[in-house]
Amino acid sequence: VLSVASPTAFGFLDENIARISLEGKGEISEESWDGRPSGLAVSEGRALSVIAGPIECKNGGWTQTLETNDLGFVNPNAEKPLGSLSAPGGQINMASIASEGEVIIGDEIPDIGDAAGGKITISDKSLIDVSGEGAGNVFIRCGEFVSDDSSIYAKTFGDIDGGGIEIQADKISFENGSEINSATYGGGKGGDITLKASETVTFSGIDEQSNVSKILIETYSKDDDAGNTGNLNLSAKDIIFSDGTYIHNGTWGSGDSGKVRLWAEDDICFSGIGYDHYLNYYLQIYMNENPIYPDASWGGMVCGAEMFSTGGNSTDIEIEADNLYLYDSATIFSVTLGAGDGGSVSIR
């Protein structure tokens, strides 16, 4: 339902700023899914902007499926998100304000100016998706951003370089199995991921399938002209990864991994044991089964030229903070298990 009226009717010129709420259908059987994105979508290469006070996406469409890949990973009960906001190869802008102000939206990055940022929440398997032959861009501006059991995808499948994902807020939180993914599968470069918070960036919690919250920046093509991954930049007063949550920036083919940079005014912390199926599978390949806790996985940062890769190089890791904490087997490493070189790790 779309309503047409003057801007004052929607609260854009006073303190009573309107809310936007999008609710999906929840679980959809594979037989009844028509193959198109669920939720609100635009056509290839187009832009979709959601501007309001509080913004909420909930009960995203999803279907249960069998997940496999050529590396031998199998998940018979995978939950495939089908989309809440989709702009394949295009641009999604989300801006939430909590005071009078003007939001500038055009072909460039959205700007909320001096307005106080509001809250954006995506939950219950919601998906913000700009994946395509070349991934598009996601720009989010708000006071607080929360992803609860939900995802943001900017996957590149073809030979066009991808855009990226950029979130700026006071607080950024990915909870209960939430995921950011900018993988590339062809010759196009994967998109950059940038999370910038004036206060905290946090990753925590698992979903009902034991998937932990994570950031995945991977390249898969084994062709000579395979695309490299994008770069990852996290900056905040404090950066906290708990409950076995992790970052993986790796090459499974011939492309190189982009750089990973973490900067915190105060603390960076990785901690907790998780039971993430995806990470546990590869840890068992590398190190054999854990005889005491066979389903366990640890959190931290894993960057590598992975086993089965065909010449792609691992990335450099740069960390700067007042304090760096690693608890409960949390690990930071850049490694080569394939044909490419390993990267360096710099901690200041």
Side-chain angles (χ1 to χ4, degrees), residues 244-257:
T245 57
Y246 66 92
I247 297 166
H248 182 242
N249 185 348
T251 172
W252 300 99
S254 301
D256 296 337
S257 298

Side-chain angles (χ1 to χ4, degrees), residues 13 15 20 47 116 121 134 150 185 246 272:
L13 301 180
E15 295 290 345
I20 290 180
T121 304
S150 297
Y185 297 84
Y246 66 92

Side-chain angles (χ1 to χ4, degrees), residues 26-167:
E27 184 174 6
I28 301 170
S29 68
E30 283 195 288
E31 296 76 19
S32 60
W33 181 44
D34 61 8
R36 296 182 296 178
S38 64
L40 185 60
V42 294
S43 56
E44 185 86 24
R46 298 293 186 175
L48 175 58
S49 297
V50 181
I51 316 298
I55 298 173
E56 181 181 35
C57 295
K58 59 184 178 181
N59 203 34
W62 63 279
T63 187
Q64 185 167 299
T65 186
L66 172 67
E67 179 186 4
T68 63
N69 64 28
D70 59 2
L71 305 172
F73 176 72
V74 178
N75 183 357
N77 300 305
E79 297 171 340
K80 176 183 175 65
L82 304 179
S84 299
L85 296 174
S86 302
Q91 183 164 315
I92 292 178
N93 303 307
M94 300 182 74
S96 171
I97 59 174
S99 67
E100 272 190 60
E102 184 177 50
V103 180
I104 306 300
I105 292 292
D107 295 330
E108 303 300 325
I109 299 172
D111 182 8
I112 64 174
D114 296 329
K119 185 173 183 178
I120 297 176
T121 304
I122 62 173
S123 61
D124 307 324
K125 297 177 176 52
S126 294
L127 171 64
I128 299 171
D129 192 8
V130 291
S131 303
E133 288 300 298
N137 291 286
V138 176
F139 294 112
I140 296 174
R141 300 290 186 269
C142 58
E144 182 177 3
F145 177 82
V146 177
S147 174
D148 184 350
D149 189 15
S150 297
S151 301
I152 303 177
Y153 289 172
K155 300 179 182 180
T156 293
F157 296 106
D159 296 332
I160 303 171
D161 288 349
I165 298 166
E166 183 178 305
I167 304 175

